Structures are given as structure tokens and as C-alpha cells.
Amino acid sequence: YQEVADELADKLETFDADAAARDQFGRPAGFEGLVISSPLGVPVLVARRSFSDELLRRVGRGADLWFQCVEGRGSRVLLRTSCVPSLSKSPRECMEFAADLAAYFGGGARGDDAVEVMYTDSRRVAKRGSRVGQLKPKKRLGTVWARPDRVADAAREAQEDQGFL
């Protein structure tokens, strides 16, 4: 018992909470944004506003969806459905959650205001030039009316846990 307790105490002394947060499910190497788990456990990546979207564009796979506010220049959000092999497409509640996050971090409306968020798959996101990672309105697959207030608590909690506040 004492050996286990001593070993645990040694591990706790060298434990890096920030590193543990960075090594979470769905986080690609080199990604410095937020990773938030959707209601069904699908990882959602939220890039910082100043972040180059090249990394997100590279990690996006077949069933993954990009979300971005129609108005504004906020964060890009990637719903990584490809990380959950049992899902062949993105479930509606996960899409709504990702759209709500895009609206929350998109700098759009606050409170109860609904925000229009467009989405597309990774193949339709700009690959070159100054618009890398940006979603063009003509390439969207559809739009969702998002409510940023639905994810405000989850977003704040993720920011605190991952050291962004």
C-alpha cells in the first residue's frame, strides 16, 4: 500500500494539468484551440480567431463538418465525426451544438438572439491563398440557426479547464 501511495504522490508532483488538457480525445497535434465534447461525445474543435486554419483543414476528414457564422469573422469550428467510427454522418444534436459554438465564438449576437451559421464538409473549404480554411457562402451545404446562449456554460467551462480564461 505504501509503495502505491508513494508512486501516486510522485506522479502528482510532476502532473501537468495543461498537458493533460492538450492530450484529450480529438485534439490534433499542434492545435492550440479549444476541444469540447458534443452531447454524443464527438470532439468539436474551436480555433482561435487569429489561428491559421490550415491545420484544421488538414485534419478534417470525410464526415467532419466545418461551421462558421454567415456574418462576422469569428472562430472556425470543426465537428470531428470521423473520430467516432460508429457514426457514418453527423447527428443533428451534434451539428446544432457545433453551430451554437460557432455562434458563441463568432462574435455575433449575444443573449437570446439567433445567429445564422453555415456549414460544409472539409472538401469545400478553401485550400490556398489568403482565404485558407475559410468557408465561402457559395460552397456551403446548408445553414443552421444557432443560439449561442445554449452553449455559454459549456464554453466557459472548457475555457477554464483548458487554460483560456
Side-chain angles (χ1 to χ4, degrees), residues 91-137:
R92 181 158 185 79
E93 54 262 296
C94 294
M95 290 177 62
E96 289 175 353
F97 183 78
D100 291 344
L101 287 171
Y104 183 84
F105 289 103
R110 293 287 180 236
D112 293 338
D113 296 338
V115 177
E116 189 175 13
V117 175
M118 56 185 166
Y119 66 91
T120 193
D121 61 15
S122 296
R123 296 175 305 222
R124 299 171 186 255
V125 177
K127 294 176 177 75
R128 292 184 291 281
S130 63
R131 295 184 55 99
V132 170
Q134 292 187 10
L135 199 163
K136 296 179 183 178

mmCIF file of all heavy atoms in Angstrom, residues 91-137:
data_model
loop_
_atom_site.group_PDB
_atom_site.id
_atom_site.type_symbol
_atom_site.label_atom_id
_atom_site.label_comp_id
_atom_site.label_asym_id
_atom_site.label_seq_id
_atom_site.Cartn_x
_atom_site.Cartn_y
_atom_site.Cartn_z
ATOM 1 N N PRO A 91 -24.749 13.555 -36.336
ATOM 2 C CA PRO A 91 -26.105 13.628 -35.795
ATOM 3 C C PRO A 91 -26.560 15.076 -35.638
ATOM 4 O O PRO A 91 -25.755 15.975 -35.424
ATOM 5 C CB PRO A 91 -25.988 12.957 -34.422
ATOM 6 C CG PRO A 91 -24.727 12.181 -34.464
ATOM 7 C CD PRO A 91 -23.829 12.903 -35.414
ATOM 8 N N ARG A 92 -27.849 15.289 -35.735
ATOM 9 C CA ARG A 92 -28.417 16.640 -35.672
ATOM 10 C C ARG A 92 -28.042 17.375 -34.382
ATOM 11 O O ARG A 92 -27.685 18.550 -34.431
ATOM 12 C CB ARG A 92 -29.932 16.583 -35.825
ATOM 13 C CG ARG A 92 -30.570 17.961 -35.790
ATOM 14 C CD ARG A 92 -31.914 17.971 -36.444
ATOM 15 N NE ARG A 92 -32.466 19.284 -36.508
ATOM 16 C CZ ARG A 92 -32.153 20.220 -37.387
ATOM 17 N NH1 ARG A 92 -31.230 19.965 -38.295
ATOM 18 N NH2 ARG A 92 -32.718 21.400 -37.380
ATOM 19 N N GLU A 93 -28.112 16.692 -33.230
ATOM 20 C CA GLU A 93 -27.803 17.390 -31.979
ATOM 21 C C GLU A 93 -26.340 17.816 -31.922
ATOM 22 O O GLU A 93 -26.008 18.859 -31.354
ATOM 23 C CB GLU A 93 -28.195 16.594 -30.744
ATOM 24 C CG GLU A 93 -27.642 15.197 -30.664
ATOM 25 C CD GLU A 93 -28.631 14.129 -31.126
ATOM 26 O OE1 GLU A 93 -29.670 13.963 -30.507
ATOM 27 O OE2 GLU A 93 -28.307 13.466 -32.121
ATOM 28 N N CYS A 94 -25.454 17.044 -32.547
ATOM 29 C CA CYS A 94 -24.035 17.435 -32.597
ATOM 30 C C CYS A 94 -23.837 18.623 -33.542
ATOM 31 O O CYS A 94 -23.043 19.521 -33.259
ATOM 32 C CB CYS A 94 -23.173 16.262 -33.040
ATOM 33 S SG CYS A 94 -23.150 14.903 -31.863
ATOM 34 N N MET A 95 -24.573 18.619 -34.655
ATOM 35 C CA MET A 95 -24.494 19.746 -35.588
ATOM 36 C C MET A 95 -25.000 21.025 -34.927
ATOM 37 O O MET A 95 -24.399 22.091 -35.082
ATOM 38 C CB MET A 95 -25.283 19.441 -36.857
ATOM 39 C CG MET A 95 -24.654 18.375 -37.728
ATOM 40 S SD MET A 95 -25.646 17.962 -39.172
ATOM 41 C CE MET A 95 -25.679 19.510 -40.057
ATOM 42 N N GLU A 96 -26.099 20.936 -34.203
ATOM 43 C CA GLU A 96 -26.636 22.108 -33.520
ATOM 44 C C GLU A 96 -25.664 22.611 -32.450
ATOM 45 O O GLU A 96 -25.481 23.813 -32.295
ATOM 46 C CB GLU A 96 -27.993 21.797 -32.902
ATOM 47 C CG GLU A 96 -29.088 21.637 -33.925
ATOM 48 C CD GLU A 96 -30.414 21.205 -33.319
ATOM 49 O OE1 GLU A 96 -30.462 20.905 -32.103
ATOM 50 O OE2 GLU A 96 -31.393 21.170 -34.080
ATOM 51 N N PHE A 97 -25.034 21.676 -31.723
ATOM 52 C CA PHE A 97 -24.056 22.045 -30.702
ATOM 53 C C PHE A 97 -22.876 22.778 -31.338
ATOM 54 O O PHE A 97 -22.452 23.832 -30.847
ATOM 55 C CB PHE A 97 -23.593 20.777 -29.974
ATOM 56 C CG PHE A 97 -22.638 21.028 -28.849
ATOM 57 C CD1 PHE A 97 -23.090 21.487 -27.620
ATOM 58 C CD2 PHE A 97 -21.284 20.800 -29.006
ATOM 59 C CE1 PHE A 97 -22.210 21.714 -26.571
ATOM 60 C CE2 PHE A 97 -20.391 21.021 -27.968
ATOM 61 C CZ PHE A 97 -20.848 21.477 -26.744
ATOM 62 N N ALA A 98 -22.340 22.242 -32.443
ATOM 63 C CA ALA A 98 -21.212 22.880 -33.124
ATOM 64 C C ALA A 98 -21.609 24.244 -33.686
ATOM 65 O O ALA A 98 -20.835 25.206 -33.614
ATOM 66 C CB ALA A 98 -20.688 21.982 -34.242
ATOM 67 N N ALA A 99 -22.816 24.356 -34.225
ATOM 68 C CA ALA A 99 -23.296 25.637 -34.738
ATOM 69 C C ALA A 99 -23.448 26.655 -33.608
ATOM 70 O O ALA A 99 -23.095 27.832 -33.769
ATOM 71 C CB ALA A 99 -24.623 25.452 -35.471
ATOM 72 N N ASP A 100 -23.950 26.204 -32.465
ATOM 73 C CA ASP A 100 -24.074 27.089 -31.307
ATOM 74 C C ASP A 100 -22.699 27.585 -30.862
ATOM 75 O O ASP A 100 -22.534 28.757 -30.510
ATOM 76 C CB ASP A 100 -24.772 26.375 -30.151
ATOM 77 C CG ASP A 100 -26.247 26.089 -30.412
ATOM 78 O OD1 ASP A 100 -26.824 26.695 -31.339
ATOM 79 O OD2 ASP A 100 -26.813 25.239 -29.694
ATOM 80 N N LEU A 101 -21.690 26.698 -30.887
ATOM 81 C CA LEU A 101 -20.326 27.110 -30.536
ATOM 82 C C LEU A 101 -19.783 28.118 -31.547
ATOM 83 O O LEU A 101 -19.131 29.087 -31.171
ATOM 84 C CB LEU A 101 -19.400 25.898 -30.454
ATOM 85 C CG LEU A 101 -19.578 25.001 -29.238
ATOM 86 C CD1 LEU A 101 -18.753 23.729 -29.388
ATOM 87 C CD2 LEU A 101 -19.197 25.738 -27.959
ATOM 88 N N ALA A 102 -20.051 27.898 -32.828
ATOM 89 C CA ALA A 102 -19.607 28.848 -33.850
ATOM 90 C C ALA A 102 -20.250 30.212 -33.625
ATOM 91 O O ALA A 102 -19.599 31.250 -33.781
ATOM 92 C CB ALA A 102 -19.934 28.324 -35.249
ATOM 93 N N ALA A 103 -21.519 30.213 -33.238
ATOM 94 C CA ALA A 103 -22.209 31.475 -32.961
ATOM 95 C C ALA A 103 -21.640 32.130 -31.698
ATOM 96 O O ALA A 103 -21.436 33.348 -31.654
ATOM 97 C CB ALA A 103 -23.708 31.233 -32.799
ATOM 98 N N TYR A 104 -21.363 31.328 -30.673
ATOM 99 C CA TYR A 104 -20.826 31.863 -29.419
ATOM 100 C C TYR A 104 -19.447 32.488 -29.629
ATOM 101 O O TYR A 104 -19.175 33.582 -29.145
ATOM 102 C CB TYR A 104 -20.742 30.742 -28.377
ATOM 103 C CG TYR A 104 -20.256 31.206 -27.030
ATOM 104 C CD1 TYR A 104 -21.131 31.769 -26.116
ATOM 105 C CD2 TYR A 104 -18.911 31.104 -26.679
ATOM 106 C CE1 TYR A 104 -20.691 32.199 -24.869
ATOM 107 C CE2 TYR A 104 -18.461 31.534 -25.443
ATOM 108 C CZ TYR A 104 -19.351 32.085 -24.549
ATOM 109 O OH TYR A 104 -18.912 32.523 -23.326
ATOM 110 N N PHE A 105 -18.571 31.793 -30.339
ATOM 111 C CA PHE A 105 -17.213 32.287 -30.563
ATOM 112 C C PHE A 105 -17.095 33.135 -31.820
ATOM 113 O O PHE A 105 -16.017 33.629 -32.138
ATOM 114 C CB PHE A 105 -16.220 31.123 -30.631
ATOM 115 C CG PHE A 105 -16.003 30.461 -29.305
ATOM 116 C CD1 PHE A 105 -16.595 29.255 -29.010
ATOM 117 C CD2 PHE A 105 -15.209 31.071 -28.342
ATOM 118 C CE1 PHE A 105 -16.395 28.644 -27.785
ATOM 119 C CE2 PHE A 105 -15.009 30.472 -27.108
ATOM 120 C CZ PHE A 105 -15.608 29.258 -26.827
ATOM 121 N N GLY A 106 -18.199 33.302 -32.534
ATOM 122 C CA GLY A 106 -18.179 34.064 -33.779
ATOM 123 C C GLY A 106 -18.292 35.561 -33.598
ATOM 124 O O GLY A 106 -18.207 36.313 -34.562
ATOM 125 N N GLY A 107 -18.506 36.009 -32.384
ATOM 126 C CA GLY A 107 -18.581 37.439 -32.132
ATOM 127 C C GLY A 107 -19.872 38.065 -32.613
ATOM 128 O O GLY A 107 -19.976 39.275 -32.715
ATOM 129 N N GLY A 108 -20.861 37.237 -32.925
ATOM 130 C CA GLY A 108 -22.136 37.751 -33.406
ATOM 131 C C GLY A 108 -23.020 38.199 -32.272
ATOM 132 O O GLY A 108 -22.577 38.776 -31.289
ATOM 133 N N ALA A 109 -24.279 37.869 -32.381
ATOM 134 C CA ALA A 109 -25.271 38.283 -31.405
ATOM 135 C C ALA A 109 -25.021 37.637 -30.048
ATOM 136 O O ALA A 109 -24.421 36.594 -29.935
ATOM 137 C CB ALA A 109 -26.664 37.906 -31.908
ATOM 138 N N ARG A 110 -25.492 38.259 -29.024
ATOM 139 C CA ARG A 110 -25.381 37.741 -27.659
ATOM 140 C C ARG A 110 -26.785 37.557 -27.092
ATOM 141 O O ARG A 110 -27.751 38.123 -27.571
ATOM 142 C CB ARG A 110 -24.595 38.715 -26.775
ATOM 143 C CG ARG A 110 -23.155 38.834 -27.175
ATOM 144 C CD ARG A 110 -22.403 37.566 -26.763
ATOM 145 N NE ARG A 110 -21.018 37.642 -27.136
ATOM 146 C CZ ARG A 110 -20.416 36.742 -27.884
ATOM 147 N NH1 ARG A 110 -21.068 35.723 -28.354
ATOM 148 N NH2 ARG A 110 -19.145 36.856 -28.166
ATOM 149 N N GLY A 111 -26.850 36.765 -26.071
ATOM 150 C CA GLY A 111 -28.127 36.561 -25.407
ATOM 151 C C GLY A 111 -29.012 35.591 -26.165
ATOM 152 O O GLY A 111 -28.577 34.544 -26.613
ATOM 153 N N ASP A 112 -30.284 35.962 -26.316
ATOM 154 C CA ASP A 112 -31.263 35.079 -26.935
ATOM 155 C C ASP A 112 -31.319 35.200 -28.452
ATOM 156 O O ASP A 112 -32.124 34.525 -29.086
ATOM 157 C CB ASP A 112 -32.658 35.373 -26.368
ATOM 158 C CG ASP A 112 -32.758 34.989 -24.901
ATOM 159 O OD1 ASP A 112 -31.947 34.160 -24.458
ATOM 160 O OD2 ASP A 112 -33.646 35.522 -24.214
ATOM 161 N N ASP A 113 -30.498 36.072 -29.042
ATOM 162 C CA ASP A 113 -30.555 36.277 -30.485
ATOM 163 C C ASP A 113 -30.063 35.047 -31.241
ATOM 164 O O ASP A 113 -29.034 34.473 -30.908
ATOM 165 C CB ASP A 113 -29.700 37.477 -30.898
ATOM 166 C CG ASP A 113 -30.212 38.782 -30.307
ATOM 167 O OD1 ASP A 113 -31.405 38.830 -29.947
ATOM 168 O OD2 ASP A 113 -29.433 39.727 -30.206
ATOM 169 N N ALA A 114 -30.805 34.654 -32.273
ATOM 170 C CA ALA A 114 -30.392 33.540 -33.124
ATOM 171 C C ALA A 114 -29.392 34.060 -34.158
ATOM 172 O O ALA A 114 -29.494 35.194 -34.628
ATOM 173 C CB ALA A 114 -31.599 32.929 -33.818
ATOM 174 N N VAL A 115 -28.413 33.238 -34.487
ATOM 175 C CA VAL A 115 -27.352 33.607 -35.425
ATOM 176 C C VAL A 115 -27.340 32.589 -36.552
ATOM 177 O O VAL A 115 -27.413 31.379 -36.299
ATOM 178 C CB VAL A 115 -25.978 33.619 -34.711
ATOM 179 C CG1 VAL A 115 -24.868 33.935 -35.677
ATOM 180 C CG2 VAL A 115 -25.984 34.603 -33.560
ATOM 181 N N GLU A 116 -27.232 33.063 -37.780
ATOM 182 C CA GLU A 116 -27.167 32.147 -38.916
ATOM 183 C C GLU A 116 -25.732 31.634 -39.070
ATOM 184 O O GLU A 116 -24.791 32.410 -39.193
ATOM 185 C CB GLU A 116 -27.619 32.844 -40.199
ATOM 186 C CG GLU A 116 -27.772 31.892 -41.361
ATOM 187 C CD GLU A 116 -28.331 32.558 -42.595
ATOM 188 O OE1 GLU A 116 -28.383 33.797 -42.650
ATOM 189 O OE2 GLU A 116 -28.704 31.821 -43.524
ATOM 190 N N VAL A 117 -25.596 30.320 -39.065
ATOM 191 C CA VAL A 117 -24.289 29.667 -39.181
ATOM 192 C C VAL A 117 -24.335 28.743 -40.392
ATOM 193 O O VAL A 117 -25.263 27.946 -40.540
ATOM 194 C CB VAL A 117 -23.966 28.858 -37.901
ATOM 195 C CG1 VAL A 117 -22.686 28.075 -38.061
ATOM 196 C CG2 VAL A 117 -23.887 29.781 -36.696
ATOM 197 N N MET A 118 -23.334 28.865 -41.257
ATOM 198 C CA MET A 118 -23.277 27.977 -42.413
ATOM 199 C C MET A 118 -22.315 26.828 -42.129
ATOM 200 O O MET A 118 -21.419 26.957 -41.298
ATOM 201 C CB MET A 118 -22.866 28.730 -43.673
ATOM 202 C CG MET A 118 -21.580 29.475 -43.618
ATOM 203 S SD MET A 118 -21.348 30.412 -45.149
ATOM 204 C CE MET A 118 -20.030 31.495 -44.629
ATOM 205 N N TYR A 119 -22.533 25.716 -42.822
ATOM 206 C CA TYR A 119 -21.659 24.561 -42.629
ATOM 207 C C TYR A 119 -21.382 23.891 -43.969
ATOM 208 O O TYR A 119 -22.139 24.040 -44.921
ATOM 209 C CB TYR A 119 -22.252 23.561 -41.633
ATOM 210 C CG TYR A 119 -23.512 22.880 -42.098
ATOM 211 C CD1 TYR A 119 -23.461 21.664 -42.785
ATOM 212 C CD2 TYR A 119 -24.759 23.432 -41.848
ATOM 213 C CE1 TYR A 119 -24.621 21.047 -43.208
ATOM 214 C CE2 TYR A 119 -25.914 22.818 -42.263
ATOM 215 C CZ TYR A 119 -25.848 21.622 -42.940
ATOM 216 O OH TYR A 119 -27.000 21.010 -43.356
ATOM 217 N N THR A 120 -20.268 23.166 -44.001
ATOM 218 C CA THR A 120 -19.895 22.405 -45.192
ATOM 219 C C THR A 120 -18.949 21.292 -44.777
ATOM 220 O O THR A 120 -18.514 21.230 -43.631
ATOM 221 C CB THR A 120 -19.248 23.310 -46.260
ATOM 222 O OG1 THR A 120 -19.190 22.601 -47.494
ATOM 223 C CG2 THR A 120 -17.858 23.750 -45.856
ATOM 224 N N ASP A 121 -18.609 20.432 -45.732
ATOM 225 C CA ASP A 121 -17.629 19.385 -45.433
ATOM 226 C C ASP A 121 -16.223 19.888 -45.751
ATOM 227 O O ASP A 121 -16.052 20.955 -46.341
ATOM 228 C CB ASP A 121 -17.943 18.091 -46.177
ATOM 229 C CG ASP A 121 -17.927 18.242 -47.685
ATOM 230 O OD1 ASP A 121 -17.416 19.254 -48.195
ATOM 231 O OD2 ASP A 121 -18.421 17.338 -48.371
ATOM 232 N N SER A 122 -15.240 19.129 -45.352
ATOM 233 C CA SER A 122 -13.849 19.573 -45.464
ATOM 234 C C SER A 122 -13.378 19.763 -46.898
ATOM 235 O O SER A 122 -12.467 20.538 -47.158
ATOM 236 C CB SER A 122 -12.929 18.572 -44.762
ATOM 237 O OG SER A 122 -13.216 18.556 -43.398
ATOM 238 N N ARG A 123 -13.986 19.074 -47.837
ATOM 239 C CA ARG A 123 -13.564 19.205 -49.243
ATOM 240 C C ARG A 123 -13.897 20.565 -49.827
ATOM 241 O O ARG A 123 -13.305 20.982 -50.813
ATOM 242 C CB ARG A 123 -14.230 18.124 -50.091
ATOM 243 C CG ARG A 123 -13.809 16.723 -49.725
ATOM 244 C CD ARG A 123 -14.601 15.750 -50.533
ATOM 245 N NE ARG A 123 -16.017 16.024 -50.322
ATOM 246 C CZ ARG A 123 -16.943 15.093 -50.147
ATOM 247 N NH1 ARG A 123 -16.626 13.849 -50.151
ATOM 248 N NH2 ARG A 123 -18.196 15.429 -49.951
ATOM 249 N N ARG A 124 -14.846 21.271 -49.266
ATOM 250 C CA ARG A 124 -15.308 22.544 -49.825
ATOM 251 C C ARG A 124 -14.689 23.770 -49.165
ATOM 252 O O ARG A 124 -15.081 24.883 -49.438
ATOM 253 C CB ARG A 124 -16.823 22.623 -49.712
ATOM 254 C CG ARG A 124 -17.518 21.536 -50.473
ATOM 255 C CD ARG A 124 -18.988 21.542 -50.155
ATOM 256 N NE ARG A 124 -19.656 20.428 -50.770
ATOM 257 C CZ ARG A 124 -20.439 20.525 -51.837
ATOM 258 N NH1 ARG A 124 -20.644 21.687 -52.403
ATOM 259 N NH2 ARG A 124 -21.025 19.460 -52.321
ATOM 260 N N VAL A 125 -13.728 23.555 -48.275
ATOM 261 C CA VAL A 125 -13.068 24.653 -47.570
ATOM 262 C C VAL A 125 -11.855 25.096 -48.383
ATOM 263 O O VAL A 125 -11.137 24.257 -48.941
ATOM 264 C CB VAL A 125 -12.649 24.207 -46.153
ATOM 265 C CG1 VAL A 125 -11.897 25.295 -45.434
ATOM 266 C CG2 VAL A 125 -13.881 23.805 -45.353
ATOM 267 N N ALA A 126 -11.618 26.405 -48.447
ATOM 268 C CA ALA A 126 -10.507 26.941 -49.244
ATOM 269 C C ALA A 126 -9.176 26.326 -48.829
ATOM 270 O O ALA A 126 -8.882 26.221 -47.646
ATOM 271 C CB ALA A 126 -10.455 28.463 -49.108
ATOM 272 N N LYS A 127 -8.383 25.922 -49.829
ATOM 273 C CA LYS A 127 -7.117 25.244 -49.567
ATOM 274 C C LYS A 127 -5.900 26.117 -49.819
ATOM 275 O O LYS A 127 -4.812 25.808 -49.387
ATOM 276 C CB LYS A 127 -7.005 24.008 -50.463
ATOM 277 C CG LYS A 127 -8.023 22.937 -50.156
ATOM 278 C CD LYS A 127 -7.905 21.795 -51.146
ATOM 279 C CE LYS A 127 -8.847 20.673 -50.843
ATOM 280 N NZ LYS A 127 -10.212 20.908 -51.169
ATOM 281 N N ARG A 128 -6.055 27.198 -50.561
ATOM 282 C CA ARG A 128 -4.906 28.026 -50.933
ATOM 283 C C ARG A 128 -5.220 29.511 -50.755
ATOM 284 O O ARG A 128 -6.363 29.909 -50.645
ATOM 285 C CB ARG A 128 -4.554 27.792 -52.405
ATOM 286 C CG ARG A 128 -4.018 26.420 -52.695
ATOM 287 C CD ARG A 128 -3.600 26.273 -54.141
ATOM 288 N NE ARG A 128 -4.694 26.283 -55.105
ATOM 289 C CZ ARG A 128 -5.472 25.252 -55.370
ATOM 290 N NH1 ARG A 128 -5.298 24.135 -54.741
ATOM 291 N NH2 ARG A 128 -6.419 25.337 -56.256
ATOM 292 N N GLY A 129 -4.159 30.285 -50.783
ATOM 293 C CA GLY A 129 -4.299 31.736 -50.755
ATOM 294 C C GLY A 129 -4.540 32.291 -49.370
ATOM 295 O O GLY A 129 -4.360 31.619 -48.364
ATOM 296 N N SER A 130 -4.983 33.526 -49.343
ATOM 297 C CA SER A 130 -5.197 34.202 -48.059
ATOM 298 C C SER A 130 -6.476 33.738 -47.376
ATOM 299 O O SER A 130 -6.719 34.061 -46.234
ATOM 300 C CB SER A 130 -5.247 35.709 -48.272
ATOM 301 O OG SER A 130 -6.357 36.035 -49.097
ATOM 302 N N ARG A 131 -7.304 32.958 -48.081
ATOM 303 C CA ARG A 131 -8.576 32.500 -47.519
ATOM 304 C C ARG A 131 -8.517 31.046 -47.046
ATOM 305 O O ARG A 131 -9.536 30.388 -46.931
ATOM 306 C CB ARG A 131 -9.683 32.660 -48.548
ATOM 307 C CG ARG A 131 -9.935 34.110 -48.895
ATOM 308 C CD ARG A 131 -11.097 34.239 -49.851
ATOM 309 N NE ARG A 131 -12.295 33.620 -49.345
ATOM 310 C CZ ARG A 131 -13.280 34.264 -48.753
ATOM 311 N NH1 ARG A 131 -13.200 35.549 -48.570
ATOM 312 N NH2 ARG A 131 -14.353 33.620 -48.333
ATOM 313 N N VAL A 132 -7.312 30.521 -46.761
ATOM 314 C CA VAL A 132 -7.174 29.134 -46.320
ATOM 315 C C VAL A 132 -8.056 28.904 -45.103
ATOM 316 O O VAL A 132 -8.014 29.657 -44.140
ATOM 317 C CB VAL A 132 -5.698 28.802 -45.993
ATOM 318 C CG1 VAL A 132 -5.602 27.451 -45.311
ATOM 319 C CG2 VAL A 132 -4.867 28.809 -47.241
ATOM 320 N N GLY A 133 -8.869 27.864 -45.187
ATOM 321 C CA GLY A 133 -9.724 27.500 -44.068
ATOM 322 C C GLY A 133 -11.014 28.277 -43.975
ATOM 323 O O GLY A 133 -11.820 28.022 -43.096
ATOM 324 N N GLN A 134 -11.232 29.209 -44.879
ATOM 325 C CA GLN A 134 -12.473 29.976 -44.826
ATOM 326 C C GLN A 134 -13.536 29.292 -45.677
ATOM 327 O O GLN A 134 -13.258 28.704 -46.706
ATOM 328 C CB GLN A 134 -12.240 31.402 -45.297
ATOM 329 C CG GLN A 134 -11.381 32.174 -44.330
ATOM 330 C CD GLN A 134 -11.285 33.633 -44.715
ATOM 331 O OE1 GLN A 134 -11.995 34.111 -45.585
ATOM 332 N NE2 GLN A 134 -10.411 34.340 -44.053
ATOM 333 N N LEU A 135 -14.738 29.396 -45.218
ATOM 334 C CA LEU A 135 -15.869 28.794 -45.888
ATOM 335 C C LEU A 135 -16.543 29.865 -46.736
ATOM 336 O O LEU A 135 -16.973 30.887 -46.213
ATOM 337 C CB LEU A 135 -16.814 28.268 -44.809
ATOM 338 C CG LEU A 135 -17.857 27.241 -45.150
ATOM 339 C CD1 LEU A 135 -18.345 26.605 -43.867
ATOM 340 C CD2 LEU A 135 -18.984 27.803 -45.922
ATOM 341 N N LYS A 136 -16.616 29.639 -48.024
ATOM 342 C CA LYS A 136 -17.278 30.601 -48.910
ATOM 343 C C LYS A 136 -18.775 30.293 -48.943
ATOM 344 O O LYS A 136 -19.167 29.128 -49.019
ATOM 345 C CB LYS A 136 -16.693 30.501 -50.309
ATOM 346 C CG LYS A 136 -15.241 30.877 -50.373
ATOM 347 C CD LYS A 136 -14.722 30.733 -51.785
ATOM 348 C CE LYS A 136 -13.236 31.043 -51.814
ATOM 349 N NZ LYS A 136 -12.676 30.879 -53.145
ATOM 350 N N PRO A 137 -19.608 31.329 -48.897
ATOM 351 C CA PRO A 137 -21.059 31.095 -48.866
ATOM 352 C C PRO A 137 -21.572 30.218 -50.011
ATOM 353 O O PRO A 137 -22.469 29.407 -49.814
ATOM 354 C CB PRO A 137 -21.649 32.503 -48.934
ATOM 355 C CG PRO A 137 -20.598 33.359 -48.302
ATOM 356 C CD PRO A 137 -19.294 32.745 -48.715
#
